[in-house]
Amino acid sequence: MNTIKYSYSKLAQGTFLEKLGFIIFSCTDNVNFPTLVVTVALIIAKKEAYEEQLDKSKAGDHQATTLARKYRKELELMLKKNGIYINFTADGDITKLISSGYDLAKIPVRTPRPEIEILPSSQRGVAKVIIQKGEKDVAYQVETHADPIPPLPADQRWQRQPMCTRHYQSISGIPVDTNMWLRYYTVSPDGEIGPKGPFKFKIL
């Protein structure tokens, strides 16, 4: 049966924080997992405390180094508790498992992650956008447009979202039960690429 892995103790500090941030984003207002064992708010608070102690540790505070190690272990335990709940609740449903932001225990060969995912949120009018991260990408720009898109570019009025350095973001103000289009740009040291798309979506 498909499951997620929830042990991240071997990840380097920077990689762990990046993964933790993505899990927080993915689990926030996730309709598939409404009753997490450890709330997202508690994880965010602990993450902030962890990062604060890391900053002090880098400045030579030895007590902060000890506290940072303690908070890291507490965060790992939080992820484990929620991971067990996610596995139980999803019951092997790969779409639900992927929506959690955790890594799959075994990645099916025939189920590659799509170029872009536009997912619903438990908040009305909010969609989650996850873009397949490119090796050189440093920022992403997302735009939306209601259906239909006028054929002439001069008549198109794309709603541009703030540029984001993460490959995931939430976009609000999306009309409910309305056909919408989304396109995006990627930014790398080589320049801007795009727009890519458009991709059709609807949130209920």
Side-chain angles (χ1 to χ4, degrees):
M1 184 172 72
N2 297 313
T3 59
I4 52 101
K5 60 180 181 181
Y6 43 73
S7 175
Y8 295 101
S9 59
K10 294 183 179 180
L11 290 184
Q13 175 187 301
T15 307
F16 175 75
L17 283 171
E18 183 179 356
K19 188 63 189 177
L20 181 60
F22 184 56
I23 289 173
I24 287 170
F25 168 81
S26 299
C27 287
T28 298
D29 301 317
N30 189 317
V31 294
N32 296 316
F33 309 110
T35 54
L36 292 168
V37 178
V38 184
T39 66
V40 172
L42 284 175
I43 297 173
I44 291 173
K46 185 65 66 177
K47 177 178 179 286
E48 289 174 350
Y50 175 51
E51 290 175 315
E52 180 182 357
Q53 296 306 315
L54 284 176
D55 288 340
K56 292 180 180 179
S57 175
K58 289 173 184 176
D61 187 329
H62 298 298
Q63 185 178 358
T65 303
T66 302
L67 271 177
R69 289 197 191 108
K70 175 177 178 289
Y71 292 160
R72 165 77 183 250
K73 296 220 174 268
E74 290 174 357
L75 283 165
E76 289 170 4
L77 181 57
M78 289 176 173
L79 292 180
K80 180 177 180 179
K81 287 179 177 179
N82 282 348
I84 293 170
Y85 159 78
I86 286 167
N87 276 335
F88 178 79
T89 305
D91 193 28
D93 186 315
I94 195 165
T95 302
K96 290 181 179 180
L97 291 170
I98 290 174
S99 79
S100 71
Y102 284 73
D103 293 328
L104 291 173
K106 292 183 179 179
I107 301 177
V109 175
R110 290 175 294 179
T111 314
R113 191 138 202 168
E115 175 185 350
I116 187 167
E117 296 171 84
I118 307 166
L119 308 172
S121 163
S122 63
Q123 291 191 49
R124 187 174 178 83
V126 177
K128 293 181 174 184
V129 179
I130 304 171
I131 298 168
Q132 186 70 269
K133 188 175 182 181
E135 185 179 344
K136 294 184 178 181
D137 294 347
V138 295
Y140 305 84
Q141 183 93 60
V142 169
E143 297 179 332
T144 57
H145 198 296
D147 189 55
I149 302 173
L152 297 177
D155 297 329
Q156 297 176 11
R157 297 291 182 268
W158 287 88
Q159 182 66 44
R160 177 164 282 202
Q161 303 296 319
M163 188 170 288
C164 185
T165 56
R166 301 185 308 268
H167 69 102
Y168 55 89
Q169 60 183 286
S170 293
I171 53 176
S172 57
I174 304 298
V176 176
D177 202 23
T178 301
N179 288 324
M180 298 289 295
W181 292 92
L182 181 146
R183 67 184 188 183
Y184 72 94
Y185 300 80
T186 60
V187 181
S188 75
D190 299 327
E192 182 179 273
I193 299 176
K196 297 182 179 180
F199 305 89
K200 198 170 187 177
F201 73 101
K202 179 194 287 189
I203 59 172
L204 304 177

